[in-house]
Structures are given as structure tokens and as C-alpha cells.
Amino acid sequence: MNRLTVTKALTANDVGETGSHQAGIAVPKQQELLEFFPALDAAVKNPDAWIFCQDPDGRVWKLRFIYYNNKLHDPDGTRNEYRLTHLTLFLKQNKAQVGDIVRFTTTEEPNRYLIALEHASEAKKQERVDPDVIRLRGWRRVH
DNA sequence: AGCCATGCACCG
DNA sequence: CGGTGCATGGCT
């Protein structure tokens, strides 16, 4: 089983710097990401799945992967996007800042991932060393 | 304060 | 006009 990694540059909203009390980070609707994360049934309104992410310190974070799709179900719906919530504590403990990178890597087991936070400076270094990353508007898929 | 669910703004 | 960042009302 090939191991996949995707990364996301954090926005101000993601780290709670904007004063918004909204939770979670947006997950762009990219085919690679939908395959990377658990499949959610679009026929269901707002389906979700729980994933378990182990950080470099061995702590496991239970994150909620949710598909807000009321646009497909309600006449006045406006949402059609994926989100990842329950990240606040993780970001706080890692002192996440705008521009920092969250990295997810698959494991052998479904719904289990590795999670790591890279600060912006390291991320730039990584970019030079990794010329064959696939750019996905904020998110990248590595390999 | 943080999560849920949704609306709005902006930009390509 | 679709997609994503920013924001908000309600609830816990």
C-alpha cells in the first residue's frame, strides 16, 4: 500500500487569529484529498467520519472529517465543502501560526493517519528539497 | 471557549 | 459562479 502525504498551509481563520469562533479548517474539494480521507456519501446531508491522527510525540488526535453539503439537499443551501474539525488544541499546543503547514500521512490502517505541524520556515526548506510535490491551492499532495 | 451548521465575501 | 477564507448565531 503506497503511503500518501498531503499538506495544508494554515490560514488566519484556521488558527483562530481572525476572532472567529468557528472551528476547523477547510479541506479543498480535490480528488486526491477525497481519496486520501475517508469517503463520505454525498447522498447523505452533512455526512462525517472520525479519523485518528498520531503526532510526532505519539499523541493520537481524534478529528472529525465532515462534508457540509446542504447545497445539494436544501433549496437555499450554500455549503458544498469538506472540513476538518477538533484541531484547535493540536494547533495551540504546536503554536501554529498563519502560513505554517499541517501534514497528514496515511498509515497501513484505514482512518488512521500521522499528523505533524511544520513551521513556515521549515516548509520553505522542504519545498526546495521536494521539487515533485503536486500543488493544490494551499494543499499539496506529496508523492 | 470551542464545536456545529450555515451565510457571506472575495477572487479566480 | 464555484471554491475557499472569513464570519456568525446557537448550543454546550
Side-chain angles (χ1 to χ4, degrees), chain A residues 3-49:
Chain A
R3 187 166 282 221
L4 293 177
T5 296
V6 294
T7 63
K8 203 235 184 214
L10 292 174
T11 67
N13 201 43
D14 292 335
V15 296
E17 233 182 51
T18 59
S20 160
H21 59 274
Q22 172 230 4
I25 67 176
V27 179
K29 255 193 353 284
Q30 302 288 332
Q31 194 58 43
E32 288 88 346
L33 295 176
L34 304 190
E35 294 166 4
F36 181 86
F37 289 114
L40 296 177
D41 188 359
V44 178
K45 182 184 170 180
N46 294 355
D48 67 336

Side-chain angles (χ1 to χ4, degrees), chain A residues 93-108:
Chain A
Q93 295 193 356
N94 287 278
K95 298 181 172 58
Q97 297 172 336
V98 178
D100 287 352
I101 304 294
V102 193
R103 169 179 292 249
F104 294 95
T105 303
T106 55
T107 68
E108 291 78 9

Side-chain angles (χ1 to χ4, degrees), chain A residues 63-137:
Chain A
L63 306 181
R64 186 176 183 229
F65 181 56
I66 179 166
Y67 182 23
Y68 283 114
N69 62 353
N70 68 348
K71 191 174 190 175
L72 311 178
H73 295 270
D74 298 338
D76 299 327
T78 61
R79 285 281 126 205
N80 181 21
E81 73 178 24
Y82 293 82
R83 297 256 292 268
L84 215 45
T85 60
H86 295 260
L87 267 172
T88 313
L89 240 172
F90 171 79
L91 296 178
K92 232 172 220 178
Q93 295 193 356
N94 287 278
K95 298 181 172 58
Q97 297 172 336
V98 178
D100 287 352
I101 304 294
V102 193
R103 169 179 292 249
F104 294 95
T105 303
T106 55
T107 68
E108 291 78 9
E109 297 183 49
N111 292 15
R112 299 196 75 95
Y113 303 85
L114 302 179
I115 186 174
L117 187 106
E118 302 169 0
H119 289 282
S121 48
E122 313 170 19
K124 260 182 213 151
K125 228 186 291 172
Q126 182 82 28
E127 185 120 3
R128 284 200 299 271
V129 179
D130 253 335
D132 64 334
V133 291
I134 303 172
R135 283 205 150 277
L136 300 168
R137 298 185 260 254

